[in-house]
Amino acid sequence: MPACGQPAQPSPATWQHGHVTAATHSTLFPQAPDTADAVLDGLDPEQREVATALHGPVCVLAGAGTGKTRAITHRIAYGVRAGILQPSSVLAVTFTNRAAGEMRGRLRQLGAAGVQARTFHSAALRQLQYFWPKAIGGSMPRLVDRKIQLVADAAAACRIRLDRNELRDVTAEIEWSKVTQTVPADYAPAAAKAGREAPRDPAEIAQIYNVYEDLKRDRSVMDFEDVLLLTVAILQDRHDIADQVRSQYQHFVVDEYQDVSPLQQRLLELWLGERDNLCVVGDASQTIYSFTGATPDHLLDFRTRHPGATVVKLVRDYRSTPQVVHLANGLLAQASGRAADHRLELISQRDAGPEPVYTEYTDEPAEAEGASRRIRELMASGVPASEIAILFRTNSQSESYEQALADAGVPYQLRGAERFFDRPEVRKAGVALRGAARFGGNDTLLDDAVDLPSQVRAVLSGEGWTTQPPAGSGAVRERWESLAALVNLAQDFAAAKTGATLADLVAELDERANAQHAPTVQGVTLASLHSAKGLEWDVVFLVGVAEGMMPITYAKTDEQVEEERRLLYVGVTRARRHLHVSWSLTRAPGGRPNRRPSRFLDGLRPGSTATVGRAAARGSGGVERGFTTRPDAAPRRTQRSPARCRVCGRTLTDAGEMKLMRCEDCPSDMDEGLYERLREWRGVQARLSGQPDFCVFTDKTLMAIAETEPTTPDELSRIPGVLKRKLDRYGDDVLAICAGQELEQGPDGE
């Protein structure tokens, strides 16, 4: 590590960087702070505590709008600029490519380029690609972007007919099973224990899941969950590889920690090893993805697992007005459950604004027309369309609002569709702009273009851009909005950089594409509440806030209803100043008006009575320090005796020898017959779980078992590679095989 204040030497391109060089400074980004101390300027006291707590475990409980991303990016940047953290030794993990791109952009602005900010899947995939030849050999299976066709093929092979909705739901069940590390044979009891309402007979889902895993193996493909599972398996079984990863990454930051699944938590533990340089950030009141296997328990139990942790609570809300914050706090005041016990009561730092507006409509088309009419008024008063959003519970609600906005001549964009730089029209536009930058001198199209914006307009006119948007909605309108966003970016870029050329703009676009820093699309945002997480607008319309939709009809248990409340809380806290909440009494005109406003609004909207409930525990901002808070305290390590060969007594250092518990050259007393029986059994287990053989036990572990012939669980657990999870799952079978017993076979002979 360089001396404090000295610049770190650039590290060579390695697997963790993916051979990608750092992006250059963008003129559209602010100038980086001059010194490490300047990085801390403008942070509030709690944010500053986060930024300067660079040692040991740190837990940041951050309410909506409290500047959590600002706090953790300044923490990383301060550590890098002060010479305490090497950029290449930091791994910041979050849950979406957009969030990871935003984090990389902010770190670049702060002068901390070179820090890895990735999703769990992206970080794991890079490690898997790099270590596959060493750990497994051969070609790595191809990664499939969407598994739904494979699930459809698996259902057809099982002669089970699934309609479109069932296919989607069964696919979600398979994803949940994998992130909770549930194998097909265990699906039914695991789903029942978790209180999941299976879309089909659990036995049928287990059958489809099992065949799905077979199909993946036969076609040499893997899904996104396999990326995590295989990375976990390699890091568990190959200590040399785990040590290599840990030697690279010394400091970890995990954003949105309330959304971590058991599988992601296991991967994080393997990355950490026995160290505790970990900073996690989250808010239990924003847990809205439990249906995917996410759980806030890891966040809420952090202090239990790390008694010496520093806990910082961020409650100063810089996003929303006191009126919006009051509604958000009121929503959670009637909540119940463990997350509610740890809620944070936000304190707005903004000037007062208008009260939230509550509107009841006769039917859904009237509600959509009312929203579009109000949006036209807001735009006429000077509010940009890009600062307005319509948020709904399900994507099926979108169509009415698309039509109403199109009829009113209001531009809009759909959130949750393709990423901006992955859109076909944006990719084609990039190619056209790159060509014009290289050969524009010979292009008659540019003869009359006098500056950069006019050059871009001329080039993109050949791709479908026009001065006026096309009428109506649909794909044509969406393509135009994408090209218009590039035209607007060119205007902003030219204003920020005098004399900018097409080549400069192309470089800026490449930089933004790498960081997933999309330009602003000038249109009202239409988004589901789930896809709106992490975003904010000046004006938010929360529509369809009625019983049956919020909470959704299929939210039956108390836990499911409370998650729906948290989902509405997330929607409310997206608004900076104006918040409109609406519902309709019936779906179609002339229908029976039997709907009522959501129970979550009881006692909050004018004229309603509060639901009887209990007050949740209030959380105030501040810092709680653990009992080990010395900044120079060394990481706690568990003392382990050196591994020694059980034949000659030599100290073992090779991972394979440590697993065998003997030197490679020392004589083996392995029972060959027992080894073969163990291999046959492992093959059966691998097929049942739909994973490679080594994920059950590696060859070296089976050899060690065949040599030692354990007779008790305690003896078996002493063999390297037999972890507690594997001991619980496979221990009885292995001990029975070692004792010479025949295992019972299933109906298919396995």
Side-chain angles (χ1 to χ4, degrees):
M1 181 177 292
C4 184
Q6 297 299 312
Q9 296 299 313
S11 57
T14 53
W15 57 269
Q16 75 278 3
H17 289 94
H19 302 279
V20 177
T21 56
T24 56
H25 175 69
S26 165
T27 56
L28 292 185
F29 294 140
Q31 189 67 38
D34 294 332
T35 64
D37 287 342
V39 172
L40 303 178
D41 291 346
L43 300 182
D44 69 30
E46 291 79 30
Q47 291 171 343
R48 183 178 285 256
E49 285 284 351
V50 175
T52 55
L54 295 172
H55 299 275
V58 178
C59 179
V60 183
L61 301 177
T66 57
K68 68 179 179 64
T69 305
R70 177 180 174 83
I72 58 177
T73 51
H74 281 67
R75 177 184 191 270
I76 295 170
Y78 176 72
V80 169
R81 299 292 298 277
I84 299 170
L85 304 179
Q86 284 274 20
S88 61
S89 73
V90 181
L91 179 59
V93 189
T94 188
F95 283 81
T96 66
N97 287 307
R98 182 197 59 77
E102 179 186 354
M103 193 175 290
R104 287 193 295 271
R106 291 203 191 190
L107 289 169
R108 183 176 53 155
Q109 293 172 16
L110 293 168
V115 172
Q116 296 296 295
R118 302 196 177 280
T119 65
F120 271 102
H121 286 89
S122 172
L125 181 59
R126 286 181 178 270
Q127 293 175 19
L128 194 61
Q129 290 169 330
Y130 185 82
F131 289 114
W132 188 275
K134 180 178 180 180
I136 300 171
S139 299
M140 194 172 85
R142 178 175 58 86
L143 181 64
V144 292
D145 290 332
R146 299 178 73 244
K147 60 173 68 67
I148 199 160
Q149 185 57 54
L150 268 171
V151 176
D153 293 345
C158 298
R159 298 186 177 181
I160 298 174
R161 296 185 57 134
L162 300 176
D163 63 29
R164 186 175 178 180
N165 290 332
E166 287 177 323
L167 182 59
R168 182 196 63 215
D169 292 343
V170 169
T171 301
E173 288 304 292
I174 291 175
E175 291 175 347
W176 172 82
S177 299
K178 299 187 76 166
V179 301
T180 56
Q181 303 176 78
T182 302
V183 297
D186 296 339
Y187 167 75
K193 183 178 180 181
R196 295 183 74 82
E197 191 169 325
R200 295 283 298 228
D201 184 302
E204 288 183 331
I205 295 177
Q207 184 184 3
I208 295 171
Y209 178 15
N210 194 40
V211 174
Y212 166 79
E213 295 295 325
D214 289 340
L215 285 177
K216 283 198 291 108
R217 187 167 52 251
D218 293 343
R219 299 177 186 181
S220 190
V221 298
M222 63 180 178
D223 58 30
F224 279 101
E225 290 73 38
D226 291 329
V227 171
L228 300 183
L229 284 164
L230 290 168
T231 305
V232 163
I234 289 174
L235 295 178
Q236 283 182 165
D237 288 351
R238 289 292 298 266
H239 298 293
D240 56 331
I241 292 176
D243 288 343
Q244 190 172 345
V245 173
R246 292 167 191 159
S247 68
Q248 173 60 50
Y249 291 125
Q250 307 293 324
H251 303 270
F252 297 85
V253 177
V254 184
D255 194 12
E256 304 289 2
Y257 194 55
Q258 76 279 353
D259 292 330
V260 166
S261 71
L263 180 57
Q264 290 164 332
Q265 175 65 20
R266 180 59 185 142
L267 178 59
L268 178 62
E269 291 168 354
L270 289 166
W271 282 339
L272 272 169
E274 296 169 353
R275 302 164 299 172
D276 60 5
N277 276 328
L278 170 66
C279 174
V280 301
V281 189
D283 178 10
S285 296
Q286 296 187 68
T287 305
I288 59 174
Y289 297 108
S290 66
F291 60 91
T292 67
T295 170
D297 289 346
H298 304 300
L299 175 68
L300 299 178
D301 293 337
F302 191 84
R303 193 68 175 272
T304 302
R305 294 196 314 276
H306 302 277
T310 297
V311 178
V312 184
K313 296 179 181 179
L314 305 182
V315 297
R316 302 174 198 247
D317 188 321
Y318 297 95
R319 175 189 300 160
S320 304
T321 63
Q323 287 74 15
V324 173
V325 167
H326 177 72
L327 175 57
N329 286 337
L331 274 173
L332 294 186
Q334 299 178 23
S336 61
R338 193 174 182 216
D341 290 339
H342 294 80
R343 77 178 180 92
L344 300 169
E345 182 143 344
L346 303 177
I347 304 170
S348 176
Q349 306 298 298
R350 294 194 55 176
D351 293 336
E355 291 290 339
V357 176
Y358 301 88
T359 310
E360 183 175 275
Y361 293 93
T362 56
D363 51 59
E364 288 183 6
E367 187 176 4
E369 291 168 10
S372 64
R373 184 170 56 252
R374 180 62 184 131
I375 288 171
R376 281 290 300 268
E377 295 170 357
L378 288 165
M379 292 173 60
S381 70
V383 179
S386 59
E387 286 297 343
I388 303 173
I390 299 176
L391 307 183
F392 33 75
R393 176 60 179 84
T394 67
N395 287 316
S396 62
Q397 296 169 268
S398 171
E399 186 176 356
S400 297
Y401 293 90
E402 292 179 56
Q403 190 60 56
L405 292 173
D407 291 344
V410 175
Y412 67 88
Q413 61 167 326
L414 287 171
R415 185 82 202 175
E418 267 184 311
R419 290 188 292 175
F420 182 83
F421 288 103
D422 290 339
R423 297 176 186 175
E425 65 271 18
V426 174
R427 295 169 73 92
K428 284 186 63 181
V431 171
L433 290 169
R434 189 170 284 105
R438 290 180 179 175
F439 312 112
N442 301 321
D443 192 341
T444 57
L445 193 66
L446 300 180
D447 286 349
D448 297 328
V450 296
D451 56 15
L452 177 60
S454 59
Q455 288 176 331
V456 172
R457 288 194 293 268
V459 172
L460 296 187
S461 64
E463 300 299 319
W465 178 81
T466 57
T467 55
Q468 295 297 321
S473 58
V476 173
R477 179 59 175 263
E478 289 181 34
R479 285 195 295 271
W480 184 89
E481 294 288 359
S482 296
L483 298 177
L486 293 175
V487 170
N488 292 332
L489 176 64
Q491 293 171 341
D492 293 341
F493 187 73
K497 182 176 180 180
T498 305
T501 65
L502 263 178
D504 295 330
L505 179 64
V506 168
E508 174 68 21
L509 289 174
D510 289 341
E511 194 173 280
R512 282 170 167 260
N514 288 333
Q516 284 301 321
H517 181 191
T520 301
V521 176
Q522 293 300 320
V524 172
T525 300
L526 294 173
S528 70
L529 287 164
H530 282 101
S531 64
K533 179 80 163 58
L535 303 175
E536 58 186 76
W537 296 269
D538 279 347
V539 185
V540 168
F541 287 79
L542 291 175
V543 300
V545 189
E547 284 292 307
M549 193 60 75
M550 180 60 67
I552 199 77
T553 306
Y554 52 76
K556 304 292 187 184
T557 66
D558 291 343
E559 292 81 4
Q560 291 168 339
V561 170
E562 286 306 312
E563 180 146 336
E564 293 288 299
R565 185 193 304 274
R566 294 194 295 270
L567 189 57
L568 183 58
Y569 171 81
V570 166
V572 167
T573 54
R574 299 312 94 193
R576 297 192 193 105
R577 182 170 176 82
H578 297 275
L579 181 63
H580 296 258
V581 184
S582 65
W583 59 92
S584 56
L585 298 177
T586 185
R587 186 179 69 82
R592 185 178 178 184
N594 56 0
R595 291 180 177 174
R596 62 173 297 270
S598 169
R599 71 190 77 169
F600 300 146
L601 300 178
D602 290 349
L604 301 175
R605 61 182 177 87
S608 64
T609 305
T611 303
V612 177
R614 60 168 184 78
R618 293 187 55 168
S620 57
V623 183
E624 299 172 10
R625 304 191 187 280
F627 56 74
T628 55
T629 56
R630 287 191 304 114
D632 60 341
R636 299 187 302 275
R637 297 188 64 89
T638 303
Q639 297 297 316
R640 293 187 294 185
S641 300
R644 299 186 182 278
C645 173
R646 56 190 170 81
V647 179
C648 70
R650 183 178 68 85
T651 299
L652 303 175
T653 56
D654 178 77
E657 291 182 339
M658 291 170 68
K659 188 158 287 189
L660 285 174
M661 298 187 293
R662 64 171 173 81
C663 303
E664 201 74 61
D665 299 332
C666 284
S668 169
D669 53 358
M670 181 177 72
D671 182 332
E672 295 286 351
L674 174 57
Y675 177 65
E676 288 305 317
R677 291 196 299 276
L678 287 168
R679 281 175 56 86
E680 290 176 7
W681 166 84
R682 180 184 67 176
V684 171
Q685 296 301 318
R687 288 195 297 276
L688 288 174
S689 62
Q691 298 180 11
D693 287 0
F694 79 90
C695 288
V696 180
F697 286 119
T698 62
D699 287 344
K700 290 287 177 64
T701 299
L702 293 187
M703 290 175 67
I705 293 172
E707 289 182 356
T708 56
E709 298 185 46
T711 59
T712 66
D714 184 53
E715 291 176 359
L716 179 59
S717 68
R718 294 174 191 163
I719 298 174
V722 183
L723 303 174
K724 184 179 185 304
R725 181 174 61 84
K726 294 190 176 183
L727 181 66
D728 293 342
R729 177 171 294 178
Y730 303 125
D732 291 343
D733 280 6
V734 171
L735 292 174
I737 294 170
C738 290
Q741 300 173 13
E742 291 293 331
L743 298 181
E744 291 186 10
Q745 293 186 334
D748 57 355
E750 295 188 345

